Amino acid sequence: MRLLILTTAFLTAATGSLLAQDQMTGHAMRPDQLKWMPAPPVLTKGAQISVLSGGPEKAGPFTIRLPT
């Protein structure tokens, strides 16, 4: 029974880390390398955003960056 629990725990941990690695395919970018555009009206007037991945207008995950 102990072997079954340890095997299950190991396989769960290994699978989770493999899936996490698939999601981490991005790379660092400096603000001057990004394409900035006006932010939606829900944010402060004059704010800008840059879409790093995905699309806010589509269903599914996306990543944006706001300048500081």
Side-chain angles (χ1 to χ4, degrees):
M1 184 69 167
R2 177 182 274 174
L3 179 62
L4 176 63
I5 292 172
L6 289 174
T7 303
T8 303
F10 173 76
L11 290 175
T12 302
T15 304
S17 66
L18 289 174
L19 292 174
Q21 288 177 2
D22 286 344
Q23 298 296 321
M24 297 170 44
T25 58
H27 57 278
M29 296 180 76
R30 293 188 319 260
D32 62 339
Q33 295 175 312
L34 302 174
K35 179 183 174 194
W36 296 98
M37 62 185 88
V42 77
L43 297 174
T44 306
K45 185 178 181 178
Q48 292 186 321
I49 66 168
S50 180
V51 179
L52 303 179
S53 67
E57 69 282 351
K58 301 175 190 170
F62 62 91
T63 306
I64 62 170
R65 182 171 181 178
L66 300 164
T68 57

Coordinates of all heavy atoms in Angstrom, one line a residue:
M1 N 0.8 -1.2 0.0 CA 0.0 0.0 0.0 C 0.9 1.3 0.0 O 0.6 2.2 -0.7 CB -0.9 -0.1 1.2 CG -1.9 1.1 1.3 SD -3.1 0.9 0.0 CE -4.3 2.1 0.4
R2 N 1.9 1.2 0.8 CA 2.8 2.3 0.9 C 3.5 2.6 -0.5 O 3.6 3.8 -0.9 CB 3.9 2.1 1.9 CG 4.9 3.2 2.0 CD 6.0 3.0 3.0 NE 5.5 3.4 4.3 CZ 6.2 3.2 5.4 NH1 7.3 2.5 5.4 NH2 5.7 3.6 6.6
L3 N 3.9 1.6 -1.2 CA 4.5 1.7 -2.5 C 3.5 2.3 -3.5 O 3.9 3.2 -4.3 CB 4.9 0.3 -3.0 CG 5.6 0.3 -4.4 CD1 6.8 1.2 -4.4 CD2 5.9 -1.1 -4.8
L4 N 2.2 2.0 -3.4 CA 1.2 2.5 -4.3 C 1.1 4.0 -4.0 O 1.0 4.8 -5.0 CB -0.1 1.8 -4.1 CG -1.3 2.4 -4.9 CD1 -1.0 2.2 -6.4 CD2 -2.6 1.7 -4.5
I5 N 1.0 4.4 -2.8 CA 0.9 5.8 -2.4 C 2.1 6.6 -2.9 O 2.0 7.7 -3.5 CB 0.7 6.0 -0.9 CG1 -0.7 5.4 -0.5 CG2 0.8 7.5 -0.5 CD1 -0.9 5.3 0.9
L6 N 3.3 6.1 -2.7 CA 4.5 6.8 -3.1 C 4.6 6.9 -4.6 O 5.0 8.0 -5.1 CB 5.8 6.1 -2.6 CG 6.0 6.2 -1.1 CD1 7.2 5.3 -0.6 CD2 6.2 7.6 -0.7
T7 N 4.2 5.9 -5.3 CA 4.2 5.9 -6.8 C 3.2 6.9 -7.3 O 3.6 7.7 -8.2 CB 3.9 4.5 -7.4 OG1 4.9 3.6 -6.8 CG2 4.0 4.5 -8.9
T8 N 2.1 6.9 -6.7 CA 1.0 7.9 -7.2 C 1.5 9.3 -6.9 O 1.3 10.2 -7.7 CB -0.3 7.6 -6.4 OG1 -0.7 6.3 -6.7 CG2 -1.4 8.6 -6.9
A9 N 2.1 9.6 -5.7 CA 2.6 10.9 -5.4 C 3.7 11.3 -6.3 O 3.7 12.5 -6.8 CB 3.1 10.9 -3.9
F10 N 4.6 10.4 -6.7 CA 5.7 10.8 -7.6 C 5.1 11.1 -9.0 O 5.6 12.1 -9.6 CB 6.7 9.6 -7.7 CG 7.7 9.8 -8.7 CD1 8.8 10.7 -8.5 CD2 7.7 9.2 -9.9 CE1 9.7 10.9 -9.5 CE2 8.6 9.4 -10.9 CZ 9.6 10.2 -10.7
L11 N 4.3 10.3 -9.5 CA 3.7 10.5 -10.8 C 2.9 11.8 -10.9 O 3.0 12.5 -11.9 CB 2.8 9.3 -11.3 CG 3.6 8.0 -11.6 CD1 2.6 6.9 -11.8 CD2 4.6 8.2 -12.7
T12 N 2.2 12.1 -9.8 CA 1.4 13.4 -9.8 C 2.4 14.6 -9.8 O 2.2 15.5 -10.5 CB 0.5 13.4 -8.5 OG1 -0.3 12.3 -8.6 CG2 -0.3 14.7 -8.5
A13 N 3.4 14.5 -9.0 CA 4.4 15.6 -9.0 C 5.1 15.7 -10.3 O 5.3 16.8 -10.8 CB 5.4 15.4 -7.8
A14 N 5.5 14.6 -10.9 CA 6.3 14.7 -12.2 C 5.4 15.2 -13.3 O 5.8 16.0 -14.1 CB 6.8 13.3 -12.5
T15 N 4.2 14.8 -13.3 CA 3.2 15.3 -14.4 C 3.0 16.8 -14.2 O 3.0 17.5 -15.2 CB 1.9 14.5 -14.3 OG1 2.2 13.1 -14.4 CG2 1.0 14.9 -15.4
G16 N 2.8 17.2 -13.0 CA 2.5 18.6 -12.7 C 3.7 19.5 -13.1 O 3.5 20.5 -13.7
S17 N 4.9 19.1 -12.8 CA 6.0 19.9 -13.2 C 6.2 19.9 -14.7 O 6.7 20.9 -15.3 CB 7.3 19.4 -12.5 OG 7.7 18.1 -13.0
L18 N 5.9 18.8 -15.4 CA 6.0 18.8 -16.9 C 5.0 19.7 -17.5 O 5.3 20.4 -18.5 CB 5.8 17.4 -17.4 CG 7.0 16.4 -17.2 CD1 6.6 15.0 -17.6 CD2 8.2 16.8 -17.9
L19 N 3.8 19.7 -17.0 CA 2.8 20.6 -17.5 C 3.1 22.1 -17.3 O 2.9 22.9 -18.1 CB 1.4 20.3 -16.9 CG 0.8 19.0 -17.3 CD1 -0.5 18.7 -16.5 CD2 0.5 18.9 -18.8
A20 N 3.7 22.4 -16.1 CA 4.1 23.7 -15.8 C 5.2 24.2 -16.7 O 5.3 25.3 -17.1 CB 4.6 23.8 -14.3
Q21 N 6.1 23.3 -17.1 CA 7.2 23.7 -18.0 C 6.7 24.0 -19.4 O 7.2 24.9 -20.1 CB 8.2 22.6 -18.1 CG 9.1 22.4 -16.8 CD 10.0 21.2 -16.9 OE1 10.1 20.6 -17.9 NE2 10.7 21.0 -15.8
D22 N 5.6 23.4 -19.8 CA 5.0 23.7 -21.1 C 4.5 25.1 -21.2 O 4.5 25.7 -22.2 CB 3.9 22.7 -21.5 CG 4.4 21.3 -21.8 OD1 5.6 21.2 -22.1 OD2 3.6 20.4 -21.8
Q23 N 4.0 25.6 -20.0 CA 3.4 26.9 -20.0 C 4.5 28.0 -19.9 O 4.2 29.2 -20.2 CB 2.5 27.0 -18.8 CG 1.3 26.1 -18.8 CD 0.4 26.4 -20.0 OE1 0.1 27.5 -20.3 NE2 -0.1 25.3 -20.6
M24 N 5.7 27.7 -19.5 CA 6.7 28.7 -19.3 C 7.6 28.8 -20.6 O 8.8 28.6 -20.5 CB 7.5 28.3 -18.1 CG 6.7 28.3 -16.8 SD 7.5 27.6 -15.4 CE 9.1 28.3 -15.4
T25 N 7.0 29.2 -21.7 CA 7.8 29.3 -22.9 C 8.1 30.7 -23.3 O 8.7 31.0 -24.3 CB 7.0 28.6 -24.1 OG1 5.8 29.3 -24.2 CG2 6.8 27.1 -23.9
G26 N 7.7 31.6 -22.4 CA 8.0 33.0 -22.7 C 9.4 33.4 -22.5 O 10.3 32.6 -22.1
H27 N 9.7 34.7 -22.8 CA 11.0 35.2 -22.5 C 10.9 36.7 -22.1 O 9.9 37.3 -22.3 CB 11.9 35.1 -23.8 CG 11.3 35.8 -25.0 ND1 10.4 35.2 -25.7 CD2 11.5 37.0 -25.5 CE1 10.0 36.0 -26.7 NE2 10.7 37.1 -26.6
A28 N 11.9 37.2 -21.4 CA 11.9 38.5 -20.9 C 12.0 39.5 -22.0 O 12.7 39.3 -23.0 CB 13.1 38.7 -19.9
M29 N 11.2 40.6 -21.8 CA 11.3 41.7 -22.8 C 11.4 43.0 -22.1 O 10.7 43.2 -21.0 CB 10.0 41.7 -23.7 CG 9.9 40.4 -24.5 SD 8.4 40.4 -25.6 CE 8.9 41.6 -26.8
R30 N 12.1 43.9 -22.6 CA 12.2 45.3 -22.1 C 11.0 46.1 -22.6 O 10.4 45.8 -23.6 CB 13.5 46.0 -22.5 CG 14.7 45.3 -21.9 CD 16.0 46.1 -22.2 NE 16.0 46.7 -23.6 CZ 16.7 46.1 -24.6 NH1 17.4 45.0 -24.4 NH2 16.7 46.7 -25.8
P31 N 10.6 47.1 -21.8 CA 9.4 47.9 -22.2 C 9.6 48.6 -23.6 O 8.6 48.7 -24.3 CB 9.3 49.0 -21.1 CG 9.9 48.4 -19.9 CD 11.0 47.5 -20.5
D32 N 10.8 48.9 -24.0 CA 11.0 49.5 -25.3 C 10.9 48.5 -26.4 O 10.9 48.9 -27.6 CB 12.4 50.3 -25.3 CG 13.6 49.4 -25.1 OD1 13.4 48.3 -24.6 OD2 14.7 49.8 -25.5
Q33 N 10.8 47.3 -26.1 CA 10.7 46.2 -27.2 C 9.2 45.9 -27.4 O 8.9 45.1 -28.3 CB 11.4 44.9 -26.8 CG 12.9 45.1 -26.7 CD 13.5 43.8 -26.1 OE1 13.1 43.3 -25.1 NE2 14.6 43.4 -26.8
L34 N 8.3 46.4 -26.6 CA 6.9 46.0 -26.7 C 6.1 47.0 -27.6 O 6.5 48.2 -27.7 CB 6.3 46.0 -25.3 CG 7.0 45.1 -24.3 CD1 6.4 45.2 -22.9 CD2 6.8 43.6 -24.8
K35 N 5.0 46.5 -28.1 CA 4.1 47.4 -28.9 C 3.0 47.9 -27.9 O 2.2 47.1 -27.4 CB 3.5 46.6 -30.1 CG 2.5 47.4 -30.9 CD 1.9 46.6 -31.9 CE 0.8 47.4 -32.6 NZ -0.1 46.6 -33.4
W36 N 3.0 49.2 -27.7 CA 2.0 49.7 -26.7 C 0.8 50.2 -27.5 O 0.9 50.8 -28.6 CB 2.7 50.8 -25.9 CG 3.8 50.3 -25.1 CD1 5.1 50.4 -25.3 CD2 3.7 49.7 -23.8 NE1 5.9 49.8 -24.4 CE2 5.0 49.4 -23.4 CE3 2.6 49.3 -23.0 CZ2 5.3 48.7 -22.2 CZ3 2.9 48.7 -21.8 CH2 4.2 48.4 -21.4
M37 N -0.3 50.1 -26.8 CA -1.6 50.6 -27.4 C -2.5 51.1 -26.3 O -2.2 50.8 -25.1 CB -2.3 49.5 -28.2 CG -2.7 48.3 -27.3 SD -3.4 46.9 -28.2 CE -1.9 46.0 -28.6
P38 N -3.5 51.9 -26.6 CA -4.3 52.5 -25.6 C -5.1 51.3 -24.9 O -5.5 50.3 -25.5 CB -5.3 53.3 -26.4 CG -4.7 53.6 -27.7 CD -3.8 52.4 -28.0
A39 N -5.2 51.5 -23.6 CA -5.9 50.5 -22.7 C -7.4 50.7 -22.9 O -7.9 51.7 -23.3 CB -5.4 50.7 -21.3
P40 N -8.1 49.6 -22.5 CA -9.6 49.7 -22.6 C -10.1 50.8 -21.6 O -9.4 51.2 -20.6 CB -10.1 48.4 -22.1 CG -8.9 47.5 -21.9 CD -7.7 48.3 -22.1
P41 N -11.3 51.3 -21.8 CA -11.8 52.4 -21.0 C -12.0 52.1 -19.5 O -12.1 52.9 -18.7 CB -13.1 52.8 -21.6 CG -13.3 51.9 -22.8 CD -12.1 51.0 -22.9
V42 N -11.9 50.8 -19.2 CA -12.1 50.4 -17.8 C -10.9 50.8 -16.9 O -11.0 51.0 -15.7 CB -12.3 48.9 -17.7 CG1 -11.1 48.1 -17.9 CG2 -13.0 48.5 -16.4
L43 N -9.7 51.0 -17.6 CA -8.5 51.5 -16.9 C -8.5 53.0 -16.9 O -9.3 53.7 -17.6 CB -7.3 50.9 -17.5 CG -7.2 49.4 -17.4 CD1 -6.0 48.9 -18.2 CD2 -7.1 48.9 -16.0
T44 N -7.5 53.6 -16.2 CA -7.4 55.0 -16.1 C -7.2 55.6 -17.5 O -6.5 55.1 -18.3 CB -6.1 55.3 -15.2 OG1 -6.3 54.7 -14.0 CG2 -6.0 56.8 -15.0
K45 N -7.8 56.8 -17.7 CA -7.7 57.5 -19.0 C -6.2 57.8 -19.3 O -5.4 58.2 -18.4 CB -8.5 58.8 -18.9 CG -8.5 59.6 -20.2 CD -9.3 60.8 -20.1 CE -9.3 61.5 -21.5 NZ -10.1 62.7 -21.4
G46 N -5.8 57.4 -20.5 CA -4.5 57.6 -20.9 C -3.5 56.4 -20.7 O -2.4 56.5 -21.1
A47 N -4.1 55.4 -20.0 CA -3.2 54.2 -19.7 C -3.0 53.5 -21.0 O -3.7 53.5 -22.0 CB -3.9 53.3 -18.7
Q48 N -1.8 52.7 -21.0 CA -1.5 51.9 -22.2 C -1.2 50.5 -21.7 O -0.9 50.2 -20.6 CB -0.2 52.5 -22.8 CG -0.4 53.8 -23.5 CD 0.8 54.2 -24.2 OE1 1.9 54.0 -23.8 NE2 0.6 54.8 -25.4
I49 N -1.4 49.6 -22.7 CA -1.1 48.2 -22.4 C -0.3 47.6 -23.6 O -0.3 48.1 -24.6 CB -2.4 47.3 -22.2 CG1 -3.2 47.3 -23.5 CG2 -3.2 47.8 -21.0 CD1 -4.3 46.2 -23.5
S50 N 0.3 46.5 -23.3 CA 1.0 45.7 -24.3 C 0.5 44.2 -24.1 O 0.6 43.7 -23.0 CB 2.5 45.8 -24.2 OG 3.1 45.0 -25.2
V51 N 0.1 43.6 -25.2 CA -0.4 42.2 -25.1 C 0.9 41.3 -25.3 O 1.5 41.4 -26.4 CB -1.5 41.9 -26.1 CG1 -1.9 40.4 -26.0 CG2 -2.7 42.8 -25.9
L52 N 1.2 40.5 -24.3 CA 2.4 39.6 -24.4 C 2.0 38.3 -25.0 O 2.8 37.7 -25.8 CB 3.0 39.5 -23.1 CG 3.4 40.7 -22.4 CD1 4.0 40.4 -21.0 CD2 4.4 41.5 -23.2
S53 N 0.9 37.8 -24.7 CA 0.5 36.5 -25.3 C -1.1 36.4 -25.2 O -1.7 37.0 -24.4 CB 1.1 35.3 -24.5 OG 0.6 35.2 -23.2
G54 N -1.6 35.6 -26.1 CA -3.1 35.4 -26.1 C -3.7 36.6 -26.6 O -3.1 37.4 -27.3
G55 N -5.0 36.8 -26.3 CA -5.7 38.0 -26.7 C -6.9 38.3 -25.7 O -7.7 37.4 -25.5
P56 N -6.9 39.5 -25.2 CA -8.0 39.8 -24.2 C -9.4 39.8 -24.8 O -10.3 39.5 -24.1 CB -7.6 41.3 -23.8 CG -6.2 41.5 -24.2 CD -5.9 40.6 -25.3
E57 N -9.5 39.9 -26.1 CA -10.8 39.9 -26.8 C -11.3 38.4 -27.1 O -12.4 38.3 -27.5 CB -10.7 40.7 -28.1 CG -9.9 40.1 -29.2 CD -8.4 40.2 -29.1 OE1 -7.9 41.0 -28.2 OE2 -7.7 39.6 -29.8
K58 N -10.4 37.4 -26.9 CA -10.7 36.1 -27.1 C -10.9 35.3 -25.8 O -10.4 35.7 -24.8 CB -9.6 35.4 -27.9 CG -9.3 36.0 -29.2 CD -8.1 35.4 -29.9 CE -7.6 36.2 -31.1 NZ -6.4 35.7 -31.6
A59 N -11.6 34.2 -25.9 CA -11.8 33.3 -24.7 C -10.4 32.6 -24.5 O -9.7 32.3 -25.4 CB -12.8 32.3 -25.0
G60 N -10.1 32.4 -23.3 CA -8.8 31.7 -22.9 C -7.8 32.6 -22.2 O -8.1 33.8 -22.1
P61 N -6.7 32.1 -21.8 CA -5.7 32.9 -21.0 C -5.0 33.9 -21.9 O -4.8 33.7 -23.1 CB -4.8 31.8 -20.5 CG -4.9 30.7 -21.4 CD -6.3 30.7 -21.9
F62 N -4.6 35.0 -21.3 CA -3.8 36.0 -22.0 C -2.9 36.7 -21.0 O -3.2 36.6 -19.8 CB -4.7 37.0 -22.7 CG -5.6 37.8 -21.8 CD1 -5.2 39.0 -21.3 CD2 -6.9 37.3 -21.5 CE1 -6.1 39.7 -20.5 CE2 -7.7 38.0 -20.7 CZ -7.3 39.2 -20.2
T63 N -1.9 37.4 -21.5 CA -1.0 38.1 -20.6 C -0.8 39.5 -21.2 O -0.5 39.7 -22.4 CB 0.4 37.4 -20.5 OG1 0.2 36.1 -20.1 CG2 1.3 38.1 -19.5
I64 N -1.0 40.5 -20.3 CA -0.8 41.9 -20.7 C 0.2 42.5 -19.8 O 0.5 42.0 -18.7 CB -2.1 42.7 -20.8 CG1 -2.7 42.8 -19.4 CG2 -3.0 42.2 -21.8 CD1 -3.8 43.8 -19.3
R65 N 0.8 43.6 -20.2 CA 1.7 44.4 -19.4 C 1.3 45.8 -19.3 O 0.9 46.4 -20.4 CB 3.1 44.3 -19.9 CG 4.1 45.0 -19.0 CD 5.5 44.7 -19.4 NE 6.4 45.4 -18.5 CZ 7.7 45.3 -18.5 NH1 8.3 44.5 -19.4 NH2 8.5 46.0 -17.7
L66 N 1.3 46.4 -18.2 CA 1.0 47.8 -18.0 C 2.3 48.5 -17.6 O 3.1 48.0 -16.8 CB 0.0 48.0 -16.9 CG -1.4 47.4 -17.1 CD1 -2.1 47.3 -15.8 CD2 -2.2 48.1 -18.1
P67 N 2.6 49.7 -18.2 CA 3.8 50.4 -17.8 C 3.7 51.0 -16.4 O 2.6 51.3 -16.0 CB 4.0 51.5 -18.9 CG 2.6 51.7 -19.4 CD 1.9 50.4 -19.2
T68 N 4.8 51.1 -15.7 CA 4.8 51.7 -14.4 C 5.1 53.1 -14.4 O 5.7 53.6 -15.3 CB 5.8 51.0 -13.5 OG1 7.1 51.0 -14.1 CG2 5.4 49.5 -13.3

